[in-house]
Amino acid sequence: CYDERLRLLAFQMLGDAEQMNDALQDTFVKAYRALPEFRSEASLGTWLHSICHRVCLDYLRQGKGAPELQLIDEALPDPSDEPERLGLREELRSAIGALPVEQRIVLLLVDHEGYDYATVAGVLEVPVGTVASRLSLARSAVRARLRPAPCGEAR
C-alpha cells in the first residue's frame, strides 16, 4: 500500500532505480526495528515517509544519490502523444529537476501525492511554514522556467 509512494519519494530524491531500491530496503529495515517505538501519533504512512526521507538524505550526504532528478508523472501525456505534448513533458521534468531537492520533495508530496502541509511538515520534520515557503518557491521557479520567453529572446 505504501510501497509505490515510498518508491516515488526515493526515486525523486535519489534519481537512480538501484539507489531507490537500496534506500527502500534500508527504510523498511529501520521501520521494522523502530516499530516498537511507533506510538500512532502520526499515521503509519507519514511515519514511513519520514523514515524514507531521512534515509534518502543520508544517501545524498554520502554521495550515493544523483543530484539531477526527474519527476515521474503519470498525469502528463503518454509518450505516444503528439510531439508538442512530449516537449511540454520534458520541459516540466527539466524545470522540476532543476529545483533544489528540498523544494522538489515538497512539490512532489503536496502537488503530486496530495498530502496536506501538516503531513508534509511531519514527514520532513520541518515547520508548516517551511513547507509553504518551499512550495511557493518551487511553484514560482517551475512557472518561470515554463513561461514562454518574450519574442526574440532565448530561454
Side-chain angles (χ1 to χ4, degrees), residues 9-143:
L9 175 65
F11 185 79
Q12 184 66 23
M13 290 187 72
L14 301 172
D16 178 81
E18 187 175 319
Q19 293 299 321
M20 171 196 70
N21 288 328
D22 291 346
L24 287 174
Q25 183 175 0
D26 289 349
T27 296
F28 288 121
V29 168
K30 287 180 186 255
Y32 178 76
R33 289 181 179 155
L35 198 54
E37 300 165 21
F38 179 64
R39 293 185 290 257
S40 301
E41 292 170 2
S43 74
L44 181 61
T46 301
W47 183 66
L48 288 171
H49 272 82
S50 181
I51 293 170
C52 183
H53 178 256
R54 285 192 307 271
V55 166
C56 290
L57 285 177
D58 288 344
Y59 273 57
L60 290 170
R61 283 186 203 109
Q62 296 168 10
K64 292 182 180 178
E68 289 85 28
L69 310 173
Q70 292 188 345
L71 176 72
I72 301 171
D73 193 343
E74 300 80 21
L76 288 174
D78 183 280
S80 64
D81 284 347
E82 62 269 9
E84 59 268 11
R85 289 185 157 224
L86 287 174
L88 175 61
R89 175 182 230 155
E90 291 309 312
E91 285 182 50
L92 181 58
R93 282 185 176 169
S94 176
I96 293 171
L99 294 172
V101 72
E102 297 86 7
Q103 291 176 19
R104 189 174 28 235
I105 295 308
V106 170
L107 186 72
L108 170 73
L109 292 174
V110 173
D111 289 347
H112 189 269
E113 294 295 318
Y115 286 112
D116 60 60
Y117 288 21
T119 301
V120 174
V123 166
L124 303 180
E125 298 177 339
V126 298
V128 173
T130 300
V131 171
S133 174
R134 289 178 182 174
L135 184 60
S136 177
L137 291 169
R139 287 174 176 166
S140 293
V142 168
R143 269 193 303 271

